[in-house]
Amino acid sequence: MTSSRRNFFWSSLTGLGASVGASLVGRAALAQDPQPQTSAPTQQGYTPVRTLNGVTLPYEMKDGVKEFHLTAEEFEHEFAPGSVAKCWGYNGRTPGPTIEAVEGDRLRILVTNNLKEHTSIHWHGILLPSGMDGVGGLSQPHIQPGETFAYEFTLRQHGTHMYHPHADEMVQMAVGMMGMFIIHPKNGEPKSIDRDYVILMHNWALHPGTYRPDPAVMQDFDLWTFNSKVFPAIEHMVARTNERIRIRVGNLSMWNHPFHLHGHQFHVTGGDGGRWPEAQWRSEVTEIIGVGQTRDIEFVGIPGDWAVHCHMSHHTMNAMGHEIPNTLGVNQAEAMQKVSALLPGYMAMGENGMAEHQDHSGHMKGPKNTLPMMMGKGPFGNLEMGGMFTVIKIRDDQPTGDYSDPGWYKNPQGTVAYKVSGPKRPSKAAPVDHSKMDHSQMDHSQMDHSQH
Amino acid sequence: MTFLYRLTITSALALSLGACATVDQKAAFDGVRTTIGARVNQDLIWRHDTATDAEVAAKVDALLANEIALESAVQIALFNNRALQARYAEIGIANADLVAAGLLSNPVLDIMVRPTTNPASGANLEFGLAQSVLDIFMRPARKRAAQADFDRAQGEVASAVINTVAEVREAYVEALGARNSLRVVEEVYAAADASRDMAAAFHSAGNISDLQWAEEQALTEDTAALVDDAKLKAVETAEALAALLNVDASALKLPQQLPALPQSDPSIANAETTALEKRLDVAAKRKAVTARLETLRLKTSWRLWHEAGLAVSAERDGDKQWAIGPTLSLSLPIFDQGGPEVARAAAEVLQAENELKNLESHVRADVRTALAKVETARRQAERYNKTILPLKQDILRLKQERYNFMLIGVFDVLVAKRDETSAYMNYVNTVRAYWLARAELANAIGGAPIETPSTANGEKQ
């Protein structure tokens, strides 16, 4: 108990924690069920999935039926420290808890609607009776506010699937209602999986300075998320060298995302349509996850710190203006004389590129509730990333089943890119006095993801 | 001889009545001076001789040595405005008329010499001394009418002074408003100018098109044209004020900004009644009514008697005997019994009375309008000062925050700066409207002095 209270405390402090857990009583409960730091195969023989920054939905066995309970509701969600919003989701979180079951299981999923409008849940990609498909008005009556509906069906497949509302879908998805639905094969994996990660991609029109996602936006989104978090608040993945790692990626955003893994060639081994026969596996380093699709990628871990991200470069940025004048190569020095007199505190930026922005955003105030465009620090400096970016840390000595943070990779001697020539770097002097900056919020290295 | 004796008495009486023939212009002017002093709380001096002229010139120079506040501009005008000095002379004219009205018409001496053919008898001589009797009896009434005329003249001059006071106040507010606006327009231009410099940097880096660059330059030049307009307006209004003060515009030390709004507006109890009591045009119109009533009374009492003469005549005929005897000449009211004259006087009374009522109605409307203008201008000025300007400053700050996070560009921030300054321009206009309304109100209630706070409106809250 002491330990879990401590975990909660940590989670709240870092703001990155699984601060809200699954609730069987149908309301957002505070601080329970942060993901354990270690895991082992279950009684049914599968390696439980690990939803980055998320949780797996607990169930109760009732007369041989696995009974789950999802409550649709509004709550405050944090995308990263410094940016929160009123979102909708399940059991106090977005994405909702991952439903995890085994082919052949009979499930009863209770859905309570605590929203102020009706809803429904569609079990995306799952084979089930038409009346359980969750399309409001087509498959079933809508679930009105205050009502609880039961969905009950037997799993006849395995694979990576999703769930989301099919009632006022545009709005309800835009504000965060979605989740992953993982079905393990009943006869076990042909190649056993050591680490099984779950990522659900989404986009958000959380306009700078606002506190509620705007459902009307179709293309010009502000935040691009893995499991409703942006870098550097996205938990990193961890594995031991030579472990077989699977990342299951779903996409309920409005864009296709080229999901890219550094340092490995992976196999695409399945999708919403189930696991592919090994002959169909493709070797890739980037796999486009289309809107409404899921893909499983599998690979054997190679030691190092490897970036994992969407390859749309704007999707690894946080909110920025897309109609700003292009400052590249613009020497503002002369104009500054007049501008400074009018706008005290104005700083000319962007002449030589935008990288300086990460440092400036530490001491130059931005709009409320708005994350700097680029963030994150690594062992060698600023990462200048945001949005759909995280790191997988693979170590020779990471204990099996241990998900705790091993720290930055210690590169073997002679295996880091090195400077050959160029002017001597000033010892500590930087072009701008950054001494007063508070980078702690953005320092990825100081974020403790081990508590999730 | 008894008659001669009586004639002597009559003549002496007439002379004594007419003896006060000196004209005291200073006393006549003091009336206006007191009237104005009680309303405007400023001194009035008629520069009627070189000594006074020099004394007043020194006072004007002393006032010009300092920065000119609203009421000191008024004082300078009262001392120095030559149109006013010209009007002061009208009082002298009316005063002379008044004195003249107090005098009897002079007696008329007739001398007739008729030489005869008879040398023994000598010339036939005839002397006559005639005095209009009616003149004597009508004198008090005539003097009352002349007094009313004098009062009216005095009132009209005082009224002209009050009007000049109002013009000076308006010109002062306009001049300061224009100076104030010029400063703000120059700030607006500074924002546009900075934006152009910035655009030049973007253009020479190849990052904005010729089109955008041309647009940016055109905008800046448009703003420069506004600065020219504002400069001219500042010159025009300063010259207009200087002209009213009859000084050189270069001699005027004007503040850069309009005075701030006072904490509260003056509370004027029964403003409409006050106006009717204090307004000099109303007083003048009332006196016109009185004067016409007097004329009517006079015409009515003496309607039958247009002329009445009393005379004494002495005659020496051929027998060289003097014959002396009184003569009475009287116009007989047979054809003209004075009816038309009375009717005319009565119509003139009606005319004056209706003009008075009409004026009173306008005065009330003026007062109510001026009060509404003061109230509205205050509300608007306070809205700008306490709400709109802080909001514009917030907007600018928030835009800068957006710039910091690369959500918008520098040009958008400069536009926000320009907007903030433009809002300040609107605020200056409301302050100007407020002081104009205060001047209008002061004038509407008879010229009351206006107290201006020593702080300028630029001290943002």
Side-chain angles (χ1 to χ4, degrees):
Chain A
M1 196 60 206
T2 315
S3 160
S4 80
R5 282 178 66 89
R6 187 187 152 272
N7 284 349
F8 163 49
F9 186 57
W10 250 114
S11 304
S12 306
L13 266 187
T14 57
L16 302 171
S19 61
V20 183
S23 165
L24 288 173
V25 292
R27 61 178 180 79
L30 291 171
Q32 42 181 313
D33 301 336
Q35 292 193 88
Q37 262 179 258
T38 56
S39 70
T42 61
Q43 282 186 336
Q44 282 178 291
Y46 62 85
T47 302
V49 296
R50 194 167 176 92
T51 307
L52 297 184
N53 300 88
V55 293
T56 299
L57 186 59
Y59 60 85
E60 278 184 80
M61 284 304 292
K62 285 191 176 171
D63 303 326
V65 177
K66 284 183 176 174
E67 188 173 281
F68 296 86
H69 196 161
L70 290 172
T71 300
E73 58 196 350
E74 179 179 289
F75 48 86
E76 189 172 87
H77 171 74
E78 186 182 73
F79 291 97
S83 181
V84 296
K86 287 279 183 191
C87 293
W88 297 359
Y90 300 97
N91 301 6
R93 57 170 57 246
T94 173
T98 300
I99 295 173
E100 190 173 13
V102 179
E103 187 182 1
D105 282 350
R106 181 153 184 89
L107 310 187
R108 183 183 306 117
I109 307 170
L110 302 173
V111 177
T112 298
N113 181 6
N114 277 353
L115 301 171
K116 288 175 182 165
E117 74 164 350
H118 66 220
T119 189
S120 73
I121 299 186
H122 163 58
W123 314 99
H124 183 107
I126 309 246
L127 306 172
L128 35 61
S130 174
M132 291 292 165
D133 197 40
V135 178
L138 175 66
S139 337
Q140 63 164 96
H142 294 99
I143 309 173
Q144 297 299 329
E147 291 180 343
T148 299
F149 269 49
Y151 293 89
E152 198 164 329
F153 46 86
T154 302
L155 300 176
R156 298 191 278 126
Q157 68 196 111
H158 59 86
T160 301
H161 308 284
M162 303 183 284
Y163 66 89
H164 62 81
H166 223 297
D168 194 12
E169 182 180 320
M170 178 196 82
V171 168
Q172 296 190 4
M173 284 176 64
V175 296
M177 294 181 78
M178 59 190 168
M180 294 294 279
F181 196 137
I182 307 300
I183 308 170
H184 294 282
K186 65 179 167 205
N187 298 324
E189 302 282 355
K191 287 188 174 179
S192 77
I193 301 293
D194 301 305
R195 311 255 177 176
D196 202 350
Y197 287 103
V198 171
I199 292 173
L200 180 50
M201 299 193 285
H202 201 46
N203 48 216
W204 307 75
L206 184 66
H207 306 312
T210 67
Y211 290 85
R212 195 183 289 275
D214 176 359
V217 169
M218 194 165 81
Q219 289 187 310
D220 201 1
F221 295 97
D222 300 289
L223 296 176
W224 306 89
T225 57
F226 286 171
N227 293 343
S228 304
K229 294 278 182 182
V230 296
F231 178 78
I234 300 170
E235 201 179 344
H236 43 232
M237 291 175 274
V238 179
R240 181 185 174 90
T241 307
N242 291 328
E243 278 183 335
R244 188 164 185 82
I245 304 156
R246 174 159 60 198
I247 306 177
R248 304 169 183 259
V249 191
N251 179 6
L252 285 178
S253 78
M254 302 261 284
W255 289 75
N256 297 339
H257 297 288
F259 187 85
H260 177 58
L261 169 67
H262 289 214
H264 297 75
Q265 288 176 333
F266 56 74
H267 279 116
V268 187
T269 60
D272 329 40
R275 194 170 177 80
W276 301 344
E278 198 165 340
Q280 281 182 23
W281 292 4
R282 283 185 280 111
S283 183
E284 302 284 1
V285 293
T286 302
E287 173 70 359
I288 293 178
I289 321 288
V291 176
Q293 275 188 335
T294 71
R295 286 289 178 267
D296 298 345
I297 65 166
E298 292 178 29
F299 53 96
V300 174
I302 298 168
D305 283 344
W306 308 109
V308 180
H309 60 92
C310 171
H311 217 287
M312 298 272 279
S313 60
H314 274 254
H315 294 182
T316 52
M317 289 282 115
N318 295 327
M320 62 169 285
H322 298 286
E323 276 150 36
I324 52 174
N326 179 6
T327 54
L328 221 52
V330 178
N331 183 345
Q332 302 183 32
E334 248 177 80
M336 275 301 285
Q337 242 177 337
K338 285 174 190 170
V339 175
S340 303
L342 292 167
L343 306 173
Y346 172 83
M347 177 180 267
M349 290 188 287
E351 180 182 355
N352 304 315
M354 291 193 190
E356 60 175 322
H357 180 72
Q358 178 163 350
D359 285 335
H360 295 326
S361 60
H363 61 103
M364 287 169 68
K365 198 171 173 237
K368 277 185 192 168
N369 203 37
T370 304
L371 297 168
M373 169 175 95
M374 45 175 75
M375 305 166 75
K377 266 187 180 295
F380 299 107
N382 293 338
L383 265 71
E384 295 142 10
M385 288 274 127
M388 295 170 156
F389 178 94
T390 190
V391 175
I392 183 163
K393 298 179 171 185
I394 303 175
R395 302 287 182 271
D396 293 341
D397 56 354
Q398 185 75 4
T400 306
D402 183 355
Y403 290 90
S404 58
D405 183 4
W408 298 119
Y409 184 59
K410 291 178 186 65
N411 298 282
Q413 187 80 32
T415 64
V416 180
Y418 55 96
K419 178 175 167 177
V420 175
S421 67
K424 202 174 174 186
R425 299 184 183 202
S427 55
K428 263 210 159 178
V432 184
D433 176 16
H434 293 144
S435 59
K436 286 177 189 162
M437 293 180 201
D438 176 13
H439 292 302
S440 59
Q441 275 202 338
M442 283 152 242
D443 188 346
H444 194 245
S445 66
Q446 289 176 16
M447 286 185 176
D448 184 355
H449 295 302
S450 65
Q451 304 300 324
H452 305 303
Chain B
M1 291 305 289
T2 320
F3 188 77
L4 263 178
Y5 169 72
R6 284 173 67 187
L7 180 69
T8 314
I9 299 294
T10 310
S11 303
L13 183 69
L15 281 174
S16 75
L17 283 169
C20 48
T22 44
V23 182
D24 185 352
Q25 300 289 49
K26 184 178 180 300
F29 182 74
D30 278 348
V32 174
R33 190 176 183 181
T34 311
T35 307
I36 296 301
R39 284 166 174 77
V40 182
N41 201 25
Q42 300 281 17
D43 198 10
L44 228 63
I45 302 177
W46 184 8
R47 305 168 76 159
H48 64 284
D49 57 31
T50 39
T52 323
D53 195 52
E55 180 197 332
V56 174
K59 287 187 183 213
V60 169
D61 286 346
L63 285 168
L64 286 172
N66 297 314
E67 194 173 72
I68 310 289
L70 175 59
E71 290 302 307
S72 52
V74 169
Q75 179 64 81
I76 294 171
L78 295 186
F79 284 157
N80 213 42
N81 179 304
R82 296 295 170 159
L84 276 187
Q85 293 291 333
R87 300 246 21 198
Y88 298 162
E90 278 177 31
I91 296 168
I93 296 166
N95 190 39
D97 288 347
L98 174 61
V99 173
L103 302 178
L104 285 177
S105 55
N106 293 329
V108 179
L109 176 69
D110 289 323
I111 300 171
M112 200 158 52
V113 180
R114 286 190 291 269
T116 56
T117 46
N118 180 3
S121 61
N124 190 345
L125 298 176
E126 197 177 313
F127 296 95
L129 188 64
Q131 173 70 40
S132 169
V133 179
L134 210 57
D135 193 53
I136 298 170
F137 289 113
M138 284 180 71
R139 182 179 169 276
R142 195 179 59 231
K143 207 175 168 192
R144 277 200 296 278
Q147 180 66 48
D149 260 350
F150 172 76
D151 288 349
R152 187 175 47 77
Q154 222 180 21
E156 280 173 3
V157 170
S159 233
V161 173
I162 295 293
N163 284 342
T164 304
V165 168
E167 281 176 42
V168 170
R169 284 174 178 160
E170 191 183 320
Y172 179 87
V173 174
E174 292 287 13
L176 260 61
R179 286 168 80 81
N180 214 154
S181 296
L182 172 59
R183 281 163 54 98
V184 184
V185 174
E186 280 170 343
E187 272 185 53
V188 173
Y189 174 75
D193 189 35
S195 193
R196 176 175 53 186
D197 281 11
M198 207 40 109
F202 276 81
H203 185 245
S204 66
N207 294 17
I208 65 171
S209 64
D210 288 351
L211 170 63
Q212 287 167 292
W213 171 225
E215 282 170 346
E216 194 67 40
Q217 291 175 88
L219 180 73
T220 309
E221 289 308 319
D222 280 349
T223 317
L226 293 181
V227 175
D228 282 342
D229 287 346
K231 271 182 186 159
L232 177 59
K233 177 101 180 163
V235 169
E236 278 175 345
T237 51
E239 287 292 354
L241 175 63
L244 275 172
L245 307 191
N246 277 202
V247 300
D248 244 34
S250 58
L252 282 178
K253 292 195 181 74
L254 289 178
Q256 293 294 327
Q257 286 171 319
L258 287 159
L261 261 61
Q263 286 301 310
S264 59
D265 300 328
S267 68
I268 304 158
N270 310 315
E272 291 172 46
T273 319
T274 309
L276 293 177
E277 280 166 10
K278 296 237 166 163
R279 283 251 315 229
L280 292 172
D281 51 350
V282 176
K285 194 55 83 180
R286 279 210 192 98
K287 281 181 178 159
V289 172
T290 313
R292 287 181 182 191
L293 278 170
E294 188 58 37
T295 306
L296 175 61
R297 205 182 64 78
L298 206 62
K299 298 279 184 197
T300 311
S301 307
W302 296 89
R303 54 185 296 188
L304 297 178
W305 311 110
H306 286 198
E307 276 174 45
L310 199 59
V312 61
S313 61
E315 189 181 1
R316 195 191 70 170
D317 277 341
D319 55 4
K320 300 198 175 174
Q321 290 296 303
W322 283 97
I324 299 176
T327 309
L328 175 68
S329 68
L330 211 55
S331 75
L332 294 178
I334 293 170
F335 305 111
D336 178 2
Q337 296 184 350
E341 285 236 36
V342 171
R344 179 192 172 86
E348 281 174 350
V349 169
L350 271 179
Q351 185 186 40
E353 279 175 349
N354 279 306
E355 282 170 1
L356 174 62
K357 280 185 183 151
N358 178 53
L359 178 62
E360 285 175 345
S361 175
H362 276 88
V363 165
R364 289 178 187 277
D366 284 355
V367 171
R368 288 191 298 262
T369 305
L371 281 170
K373 282 184 180 173
V374 168
E375 195 193 317
T376 305
R378 168 172 290 277
R379 206 167 45 240
Q380 289 191 329
E382 285 185 349
R383 180 179 294 124
Y384 269 101
N385 198 23
K386 292 182 180 156
T387 310
I388 298 178
L389 284 175
L391 281 174
K392 293 285 181 180
Q393 283 154 13
D394 275 356
I395 289 168
L396 177 59
R397 177 178 56 78
L398 294 169
K399 289 256 182 181
Q400 249 183 298
E401 286 181 4
R402 278 179 187 246
Y403 168 80
N404 289 346
F405 270 35
M406 293 199 111
L407 298 164
I408 59 171
V410 61
F411 298 107
D412 281 344
V413 184
L414 286 167
V415 166
K417 176 67 191 174
R418 211 158 59 208
D419 283 352
E420 183 217 23
T421 315
S422 299
Y424 187 69
M425 168 78 82
N426 291 342
Y427 166 63
V428 167
N429 282 335
T430 61
V431 174
R432 174 177 150 275
Y434 174 81
W435 287 114
L436 285 177
R438 283 290 304 274
E440 192 176 320
L441 177 62
N443 192 40
I445 59 168
I450 301 176
E451 277 183 36
T452 49
S454 52
T455 50
N457 79 77
E459 280 134 52
K460 293 176 189 173
Q461 294 179 3

